[in-house]
């Protein structure tokens, strides 16, 4: 496509003439082919139309791989024009000197988002020889991979990242097992690997794989204790608390959150303590204890108000005032305080601005649910918020978001006689293929 408004006649001809399929059928075939390749996508007729009408210049990397496999044609033969090689991260070409480039996992340059970032770890997961001497630069490579996983996940969700994160974690463990390093470097590498394990666990949690997440969080907890790293240990406990709450185990969620607070109490990060207090609040809310929930929420706000410190870990960057409001809204929802929950979730969406697309989508979905189930429902407001959620698809790919959309549908179904709700239900079913 030469420009944004030029229709893609080549792709349309392949679909209509070669495959003789409707857009809906073609979208379903793309999803099936992706599953066969181990890729998770949610292609819809609307997305196919965007490709064919020229509204999207080039599909995302995951779709390029699937389309090539499906049709046996290169992107240029399908009417797409790649103006330059994909370079998701500007530092990808400069992170290592030429003599180190031979070890980069070349697969990653045709993979999505953070998959390319993970190529910055020069030892692949394909059984290559140990890297020899491990230095500070290698540890920093693991740290960079963690940062880029979170950066991509915040904007696009976890679906395209999980396998690549698993490969990177395997790499880091190979370094620990087979490399040689000074004691100080080994301790730092152990901590970095623990943080990578948490990142991989987060992707598993967001992709609907709680058992995998629990195992990875447990590995991170072990790494923290071996490396004597309280910040990592607190992070791992906090993640276990979140996972326990999501799995319907409120007492475990409370205990893990309290354990996190004990570990990081003297670490020097009031913001981290605030997050763990909010995790505790979530557990109390799920248990139905409004008094204990309020106490934990008040403590979380007081700690947050102390401001940032140099001790705040990088991964904590997501914990903004927007997230503070959003987490409180989730607790209010579990206490059936639906009006307060809707207001808090809307505040979280507004405060997020243009950042953290996946979390914005999740909180917007919660706004819709709360308006639909409150004591005096507001179906029009619920439908308006639900419509905003659909705008995040398919760029945000998260199992949690898809489940939350199903919750939105269930909540709105009782108001199906309202025209705005009926329109949304039809659009949702068209986009997702749910009937």
């Amino acid at each position: 496509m030469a420009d944004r408004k030029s229709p893609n006649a080549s792709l349309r001809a392949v679909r209509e003439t070669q495959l003789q399929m409707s857009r809906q059928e073609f979208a379903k075939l793309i999803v099936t082919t992706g599953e066969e390749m181990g890729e998770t996508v949610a292609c819809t007729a609307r997305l196919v139309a965007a490709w064919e009408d020229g509204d999207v210049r080039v599909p995302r990397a995951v779709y390029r791989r699937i389309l090539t496999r499906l049709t046996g044609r290169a992107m240029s033969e399908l009417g797409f024009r790649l103006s330059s090689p994909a370079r998701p991260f500007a530092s990808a070409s400069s992170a290592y000197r030429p003599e180190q480039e031979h070890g980069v996992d070349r697969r990653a340059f045709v993979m999505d988002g953070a998959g390319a970032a993970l190529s910055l770890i020069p030892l692949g997961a394909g059984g290559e020889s140990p890297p020899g001497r491990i230095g500070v630069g290698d540890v920093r490579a693991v740290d960079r991979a963690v940062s880029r996983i979170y950066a991509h996940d915040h904007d696009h969700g976890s679906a395209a990242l999980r396998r690549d994160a698993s490969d990177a974690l395997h790499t880091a463990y190979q370094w620990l097992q087979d490399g040689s390093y000074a004691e100080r470097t080994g301790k730092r590498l152990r901590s970095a690997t623990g943080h990578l394990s948490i990142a991989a666990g987060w992707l598993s949690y967001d992709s609907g794989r709680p058992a995998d997440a629990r195992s990875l969080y447990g590995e991170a907890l072990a790494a923290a204790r071996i490396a004597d790293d309280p910040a990592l240990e607190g992070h791992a406990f906090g993640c276990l608390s979140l996972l326990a709450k999501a799995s319907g185990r409120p007492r475990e969620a409370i205990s893990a959150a309290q354990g996190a607070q004990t570990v990081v109490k003297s670490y020097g990060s009031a913001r981290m303590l605030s997050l763990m207090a909010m995790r505790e609040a979530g557990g109390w809310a799920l248990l139905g204890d409004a008094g204990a929930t309020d106490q934990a929420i008040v403590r979380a706000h007081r700690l947050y108000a102390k401001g940032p410190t140099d001790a705040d870990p990088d991964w904590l960057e997501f914990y903004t005032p927007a997230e503070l409001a959003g987490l409180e809204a989730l607790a209010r929802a579990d206490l059936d305080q639906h009006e307060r929950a809707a207001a808090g979730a809307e505040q979280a969406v507004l405060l997020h601005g243009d950042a953290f697309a996946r979390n914005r989508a999740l909180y917007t979905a919660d706004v819709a649910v709360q308006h639909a189930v409150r004591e005096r429902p507001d179906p029009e407001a619920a439908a308006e918020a639900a419509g905003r959620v659909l705008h995040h698809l398919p760029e945000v790919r998260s199992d949690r978001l898809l489940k939350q959309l199903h919750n939105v549908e269930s909540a709105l179904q009782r108001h199906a006689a309202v025209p705005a709700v009926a329109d949304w239900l039809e659009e949702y079913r068209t986009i997702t293929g749910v009937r």
Side-chain angles (χ1 to χ4, degrees):
M1 295 180 295
D3 60 69
R4 184 176 177 81
K5 296 301 181 182
S6 298
N8 187 336
S10 299
L11 180 64
R12 183 169 183 171
V14 168
R15 175 179 63 80
E16 292 182 339
T17 305
Q18 177 182 326
L19 299 176
Q20 298 182 348
M21 288 184 170
S22 68
R23 285 174 172 171
Q24 184 68 40
E25 290 170 332
F26 188 46
K28 288 182 178 180
L29 181 59
I30 288 172
V31 172
T32 301
T33 303
E35 290 174 349
E36 293 172 354
M37 296 170 62
E39 305 277 13
T40 303
V41 295
C43 189
T44 64
R46 175 184 287 189
L47 181 57
V48 173
W51 293 340
E52 294 183 353
D53 295 343
D55 293 327
V56 175
R57 282 177 172 270
V58 180
R60 290 190 297 129
V62 62
Y63 286 115
R64 297 200 295 271
R65 297 194 294 274
I66 293 172
L67 286 169
T68 299
R69 167 78 169 271
L70 174 60
T71 65
R73 300 176 183 228
M75 285 296 100
S76 59
E77 295 175 298
L78 292 175
F80 299 111
R81 296 290 182 266
L82 298 176
S83 58
S84 61
R87 290 179 59 190
F89 299 97
S91 58
S93 62
S94 59
Y96 288 92
R97 301 279 73 84
E99 64 268 21
Q100 293 176 298
E101 290 179 352
H102 68 278
V104 174
D105 182 1
R106 300 298 179 182
R107 279 185 318 146
F109 286 105
V110 293
M111 286 189 172
D112 219 15
L118 300 187
S119 71
L120 293 180
I121 299 181
L123 177 61
E128 293 91 337
S129 59
R133 186 72 176 177
I134 301 295
V136 173
D138 301 309
V139 177
R140 288 174 180 163
V142 181
D143 291 335
R144 282 195 297 270
V146 173
S147 297
R148 286 164 181 171
I149 286 172
Y150 286 134
H152 187 93
D153 173 68
H154 290 323
D155 289 334
H156 302 292
S158 61
L161 309 181
R162 189 171 46 79
R163 284 195 310 158
D164 299 308
S166 178
D167 287 347
L169 185 59
H170 179 77
T171 293
Y173 275 119
Q174 277 190 318
W175 286 11
L176 281 168
Q177 178 67 27
D178 301 325
S180 61
Y181 36 77
E183 181 178 354
R184 176 180 172 82
T185 302
K187 186 175 181 180
R188 290 186 58 184
L189 179 60
R190 180 75 64 180
S191 289
T193 302
H195 283 292
L196 184 55
S197 186
I198 285 180
W202 169 256
L203 298 180
S204 292
Y205 165 70
D206 196 51
S207 299
R209 297 169 177 263
D212 290 346
R214 187 179 182 86
S215 176
L216 288 162
Y217 292 155
E219 290 180 12
L221 192 59
R225 289 173 174 171
I226 294 172
D228 191 23
D229 186 338
L232 175 59
E233 186 173 356
H235 192 186
F237 269 128
C239 290
L240 286 168
S241 175
L242 178 64
L243 184 60
K245 179 180 180 294
S247 302
R249 301 191 300 271
R251 293 191 183 278
E252 182 180 331
I254 294 165
S255 296
Q258 291 174 340
Q261 292 170 76
T262 299
V263 170
V264 302
K265 193 170 186 178
S266 60
Y267 183 69
S269 173
R271 290 280 169 90
M272 192 172 178
L273 270 174
S274 171
L275 175 61
M276 300 313 163
M278 196 59 82
R279 293 271 186 260
E280 181 184 343
W284 287 118
L286 190 62
L287 197 61
D289 191 328
T293 301
D294 286 339
Q295 290 177 16
I297 288 174
V298 168
R299 188 166 70 253
H301 279 278
R302 286 177 177 170
L303 287 164
Y304 195 92
K306 292 184 177 182
T309 69
D310 291 340
D312 293 343
D314 291 342
W315 61 263
L316 200 62
E317 67 176 359
F318 85 96
Y319 190 48
T320 62
E323 191 66 17
L324 182 68
L327 292 177
E328 178 176 351
L330 295 178
R332 299 299 178 193
D334 283 333
L335 291 172
D336 293 329
Q337 298 173 1
H338 299 298
E339 292 191 18
R340 293 183 69 178
E346 192 67 79
Q347 181 185 21
V349 174
L350 293 173
L351 289 175
H352 270 311
D354 294 330
F356 302 102
R358 191 266 319 284
N359 285 8
R360 290 203 321 272
L362 285 168
Y363 286 130
T364 305
D366 201 55
V367 172
V369 170
Q370 300 311 314
H371 279 312
V373 302
R374 53 193 274 186
E375 186 175 353
R376 299 178 65 179
D378 188 342
E380 286 83 4
E384 187 277 330
R388 284 185 277 144
V389 181
L390 294 183
H391 294 161
H392 289 279
L393 299 177
E395 288 304 312
V396 175
R397 293 293 299 117
S398 163
D399 183 79
R400 286 190 302 144
L401 179 56
L402 295 178
K403 288 181 178 178
Q404 186 69 327
L405 271 170
H406 178 71
N407 293 338
V408 172
E409 183 201 23
S410 298
L412 285 178
Q413 191 63 51
R414 69 193 72 179
H415 308 295
V418 177
V421 173
D423 289 346
W424 183 87
L425 290 170
E426 179 61 28
E427 183 178 9
Y428 165 73
R429 290 164 184 166
T430 299
I431 290 175
T432 62
V434 173
R435 288 292 170 185

